[in-house]
Amino acid sequence: MTTRIPAAVPAVVNIAAALARFSDHWAQRRIAGINDYDVKVAKIQGEFVWHTHDDTDEFMLVISGRLTVRFREGDVVLDPGEFVVVPRGVEHCTAAAEETSILLLEPAGVVNTGDAGGELTKAVRELEPS
């Protein structure tokens, strides 16, 4: 068995520190990549747009605050440390009464508003170096 040794020691990412470096809502920041996936953080408050992602599931983990994920069949409420996987093609809408920080895991290039588009559509930005 061969052990793969990294060319450089991988960077450690502190999620709380990453979230402290920006304040805008609904603007995802890429903090890492895993294969063809982006690991992103975002701060949200208020209600997002109803949308679907036809080609991918969506993983959302609450870091702080409280997240409501609305589905046509009913709502799911998540507290810190809880996550939900929204299956591909399932219409949903996220909402947070208070500022809520989340971590997302999605394939690179996924548009935040899915099929809905509109003014809340924002390109994923790299978290700028500290």
Side-chain angles (χ1 to χ4, degrees):
M1 181 169 162
T2 304
T3 302
R4 194 172 89 180
I5 300 172
V9 175
V12 173
V13 177
N14 182 296
I15 295 171
L19 286 162
R21 294 176 40 211
F22 66 97
S23 60
D24 45 336
H25 294 138
W26 307 107
Q28 301 172 358
R29 298 297 197 284
R30 183 182 184 275
I31 59 172
I34 300 172
N35 298 318
D36 297 329
Y37 280 73
D38 286 337
V39 179
K40 302 178 281 191
V41 291
K43 293 180 180 180
I44 62 174
Q45 188 168 11
E47 186 167 316
F48 204 55
V49 62
W50 281 92
H51 66 284
T52 62
H53 300 281
D54 290 332
D55 299 323
T56 186
D57 300 334
E58 185 175 14
F59 173 93
M60 290 181 266
L61 168 69
V62 175
I63 304 300
S64 66
R66 179 176 245 203
L67 176 68
T68 300
V69 183
R70 296 193 170 113
F71 298 97
R72 295 299 182 187
E73 298 77 18
D75 297 348
V76 172
V77 179
L78 303 171
D79 289 314
E82 297 180 328
F83 72 86
V84 67
V85 176
V86 178
R88 71 184 70 205
V90 173
E91 190 177 28
H92 61 286
C93 173
T94 51
E98 63 185 76
E99 184 174 81
T100 297
S101 297
I102 61 174
L103 182 138
L104 301 114
L105 180 63
E106 299 172 316
V110 168
V111 176
N112 66 332
T113 53
D115 65 340
E119 64 184 42
L120 291 176
T121 301
K122 295 183 182 177
V124 176
R125 294 173 27 196
E126 291 286 330
L127 187 65
E128 298 187 16
S130 54

